[in-house]
Amino acid sequence: MDALPVIFGNEVEAYSFARLFHETYGVNSLVVAEYPRGHINNSSILSVRYCERRIMEDEEKFVALLNSLAAEFADRTLICLVNVDEGVDVIVRNRHRLASNWFFPFAAPEVVDLANSKEAMAQVYEKVGEAAPRRAVVHLSRPETWDAALAALPFPIVVKPARADNPTSLYATGLKKVEVFDDAAAARAKFAMLAGRQVGIDLIAQELIPGDDTTQWVVNGYIDSRGHLSAIGSGRVLLGLHEPSLIGNAGIILTDPDGFLTDRAERIVREVGLRGFFSMDVKIDPRTGRAYWLDLNPRAGRGHYYLKVG
C-alpha cells in the first residue's frame, strides 16, 4: 500500500484511525499532534510528530503544514484524517491550494457549511420527515430579540453555538459547548455575559429532550466520491462523556446490528449531498419513542471504532 494515513490529533479517535489502518492493511500511520497524550504515546503502529498548538485556527499555517508534508512524502498518497470542525473547514475551503498527493475524505465546501449550521440542518431533518427539537436562533449582538427567542421555547432548554466550526478558543470566554438553563432569567443573564465579553457568534436555544445517556444514539458512515454508501452503522450510547469540552461525545457505545436508524440517516445525508465521513447524534424521547436528530458532523466522529466491532 503506497498510501500513508496522516492523522491529526491526539485523542482516542486518532489512535482508532491508526488501529483500523494497521488491522486492515498492516500500515503504520503518521500522527500529527499538538502535544503528547496517552492515546498515541508509545504505540508501535504509529509515529508521532508535533506541531504548533491550535494550528488549525490559523488557516495559512495549517495550509503550509499540509503542503510541507505533501512535499516530504511526494512519492505517496497521503490520506488526511481530521476530526476537528475547524480543520475540516480549512481543508475544504483550500483544496485548490493543497498538493495533489493528498486525499481528502470530506464533502464540498457548501455541504460542510450546511452540515455545520445547526439551524439549517434542523430544517433538513424536518424536510425529510424527521424530527428536530424546537429551537430559536439567539443573536448575541441583538439583545432586543432575546426575549422573543426564549418565549418560543419550553423550559428547560439547551444552549449551544449555532455553528459547529466556531473556534474552540471561544470557550475561554465562558461559552460552553452545551449548557442547560431552567428558566429564561438564567439564560438571559448568560447571553448578557457573553455579549459583554464580545463573543460575536450566534447561539441556538432548543428544548431539552429528557433522558439519560442511554437515550442517545449515534450513526456513523462513509459515502465515496461516486455517491456509494460504503459504510454505515449505528449504536446506542451506554455512557456519555461529561467533561465540559466533550459533552455530546460517547464513552461507551453498544452496537446496533439491526440498523435502527441507518435508513433514516442515509436519507438525510443524501438530501444534503454529503461525501466522505459523517457522524450523527440522535436522541430518543423516552416519553414517546420519537427520534430527534441533533447534529450531522461532516467527519468521522470521536467514537467511530465501534463500526469495526459491529
Side-chain angles (χ1 to χ4, degrees), residues 2-36:
D2 68 348
L4 174 64
V6 181
I7 304 164
F8 292 86
N10 58 13
E11 269 279 5
V12 66
E13 71 272 11
Y15 179 77
S16 297
F17 273 132
R19 182 172 175 178
L20 286 168
F21 275 96
H22 191 265
E23 289 174 340
T24 306
Y25 300 108
V27 171
N28 283 20
S29 299
L30 172 63
V31 173
V32 181
E34 296 178 0
Y35 52 88

Side-chain angles (χ1 to χ4, degrees), residues 43-98:
S43 174
S44 62
I45 66 171
L46 56 87
S47 59
V48 183
R49 65 176 61 183
Y50 299 105
C51 65
E52 183 178 327
R53 293 202 178 195
R54 292 182 174 166
I55 193 169
M56 294 182 190
E57 293 184 21
D58 188 317
E59 190 159 322
E60 292 307 314
K61 286 183 178 180
F62 190 41
V63 167
L65 173 61
L66 290 166
N67 282 329
S68 174
L69 289 167
E72 180 180 348
F73 299 99
D75 59 337
R76 304 186 71 176
T77 298
L78 304 184
I79 303 172
C80 185
L81 299 165
V82 173
N83 197 49
V84 179
D85 293 306
E86 302 97 303
V88 173
D89 196 43
V90 170
I91 288 167
V92 300
R93 281 202 313 267
N94 290 278
R95 269 195 174 109
H96 63 288
R97 301 173 58 198
L98 297 168

